[in-house]
Amino acid sequence: MEELVFYAFAILAVGSALLVVNLKNTARALFLFFVTLFAMAGLFIFALADFVAITQIMVYVGGVLILMLFAFMLSNKELLKALQHIPGRFLTMPNWQSLLLALGFFGVLLWGVVEWQQQTPDWIVQNIKQGNVIQPHDNNIQQLGLKFMTQYILPFEVISVFLLMVLIGAAHLSRKEEQK
Amino acid sequence: MITLTHFLVVSACIFSIGLYTVLAKRNAIMILVGIELMINAAILNFVAFGRYDKINYSGQVFALFAIVLAAASVAVGLAIILNVYRHYKTINPDQITDLRD
């Protein structure tokens, strides 16, 4: 039962991601990207990371996608030029080359996973032996809060300052130039 | 029982799709979507490995940091895209060829 739901989420994530890539209409692709992110959040729950899943939904669906839709609508001329085909010069490659590269990379990753399957890292084996594995009935969110405020306080502060910098930088970049 | 391999294979699929999007699309917003897909695959790996580390919770903590970084990159990236669009009237990276007027 558990595996069936996992496979359903995995197929939903991969299938909607493939559709996102193949759709010509950018607005539809962006709305389908919602589905991919929701399915990824479901997969996070299967790894017993409920707080990360909720954060994913709040940050991505509430923030990032709205921002992307705004940017898409503000640069809407592109909609008319979707059929125009320009041969790529330096950043984008022809479709078949990028497909080849992506498939090759996928092959390398899969090969790594298959090779790795025989030898689990020592720390995982040790933690399984000592029972230091997150269980479904653990109080995840409380533990995470404690860790954030004690062990990971420095990265937490660094990332808050970084977020402030990003906020100021984005506001500065997107302001209107005043006429001299 | 869902093993680590399941998660790794799914995230390999998502990462490759993201890589294809970044390489093949001629639209800056879709390239950002591809980058987000790749970051999401990385977060899935973080979370899947973090399940086996109850003492430090490092996987989930750094997954949250990665989500914050992804959101920050999207905010700055979209601001840059809007500026570029205002200047060049296109968001095709191939047509944006010079740094100044």
Side-chain angles (χ1 to χ4, degrees), chain A residues 128-141:
Chain A
I128 289 176
K129 212 181 287 168
Q130 292 169 355
N132 284 328
V133 179
I134 297 175
Q135 301 293 335
H137 52 74
D138 283 343
N139 201 348
N140 248 332
I141 297 175

Side-chain angles (χ1 to χ4, degrees), chain B residues 4-81:
Chain B
L4 203 47
T5 315
H6 288 76
F7 287 108
L8 293 184
V9 170
V10 172
S11 85
C13 287
I14 299 282
F15 191 93
S16 308
I17 294 169
L19 186 66
Y20 174 75
T21 316
V22 171
L23 291 177
K25 287 288 177 179
R26 289 181 178 77
N27 181 336
I29 293 176
M30 286 312 285
I31 288 175
L32 261 180
V33 167
I35 292 173
E36 291 304 306
L37 278 177
M38 287 158 83
I39 291 176
N40 250 300
I43 293 171
L44 185 60
N45 267 5
F46 265 134
V47 164
F49 276 101
R51 186 181 172 183
Y52 296 99
D53 184 14
K54 193 181 178 180
I55 300 168
N56 289 321
Y57 268 81
S58 46
Q60 297 193 16
V61 169
F62 280 92
L64 288 170
F65 287 151
I67 288 178
V68 172
L69 287 179
S73 76
V74 164
V76 174
L78 287 178
I80 292 174
I81 287 173

